[in-house]
C-alpha cells in the first residue's frame, strides 16, 4: 500500500517541480526582456561609470530607480556586452576599465 501511495503522489511532485521551474524560466525571460528594453538605464550606468560618478550600488540603484538586484542584472548585462566595468571600493563607484 505504501508503494502505491508513493506512486500516486509522484506525479504531483513532478508537476509541482515543473511548475516551479517553468515559473523560474519565465521570470528569467521576462527579466531579460526588461533589461533589453531599458537601453536608457544601461546608457546612464555606462556614462556614470565613465565619469566615476555612480556612487555605491545602493546609491546608484536609487539614482536610476531600480532595485539593487536589478542593478546587478544591468551590470551583468553590460559585462555581457564586453564592456569592462567593475566596482572600485576606493572611489566608491563603478568604473570602466
Amino acid at each position: 500500500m505504501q508503494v502505491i501511495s508513493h506512486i500516486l503522489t509522484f506525479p504531483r511532485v513532478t508537476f509541482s517541480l515543473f511548475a516551479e521551474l517553468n515559473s523560474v524560466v519565465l521570470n528569467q525571460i521576462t527579466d531579460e526582456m526588461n533589461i533589453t528594453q531599458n537601453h536608457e538605464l544601461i546608457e546612464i550606468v555606462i556614462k556614470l561609470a565613465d565619469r566615476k560618478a555612480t556612487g555605491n550600488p545602493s546609491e546608484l540603484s536609487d539614482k536610476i530607480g531600480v532595485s539593487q538586484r536589478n542593478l546587478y542584472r544591468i551590470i551583468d548585462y553590460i559585462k555581457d556586452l564586453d564592456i569592462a566595468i567593475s566596482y572600485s571600493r576606493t572611489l566608491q563607484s563603478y568604473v570602466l576599465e
Side-chain angles (χ1 to χ4, degrees):
M1 196 62 146
Q2 287 180 335
V3 172
I4 293 172
S5 67
H6 288 299
I7 291 171
L8 292 175
T9 59
F10 179 74
R12 289 183 185 165
V13 171
T14 302
F15 179 76
S16 175
L17 288 174
F18 176 76
E20 287 178 32
L21 287 174
N22 193 27
S23 175
V24 168
V25 169
L26 286 175
N27 285 339
Q28 288 175 346
I29 290 169
T30 301
D31 290 341
E32 288 175 17
M33 287 172 50
N34 287 338
I35 284 182
T36 57
Q37 292 171 353
N38 290 319
H39 294 289
E40 292 174 9
L41 291 177
I42 294 165
E43 288 179 30
I44 290 169
V45 172
I46 291 170
K47 288 177 183 178
L48 289 171
D50 190 40
R51 293 185 216 149
K52 299 173 178 69
T54 64
N56 64 40
S58 177
E59 293 168 340
L60 180 57
S61 64
D62 287 343
K63 282 180 189 178
I64 64 173
V66 298
S67 68
Q68 282 189 14
R69 181 65 203 129
N70 282 336
L71 171 64
Y72 295 132
R73 287 184 178 125
I74 290 169
I75 297 295
D76 288 341
Y77 186 78
I78 291 170
K79 289 178 181 178
D80 288 345
L81 296 173
D82 291 328
I83 297 172
I85 186 171
S86 63
Y87 183 74
S88 168
R89 289 185 184 181
T90 307
L91 298 174
Q92 293 219 340
S93 176
Y94 284 96
V95 295
L96 298 182
E97 301 170 357

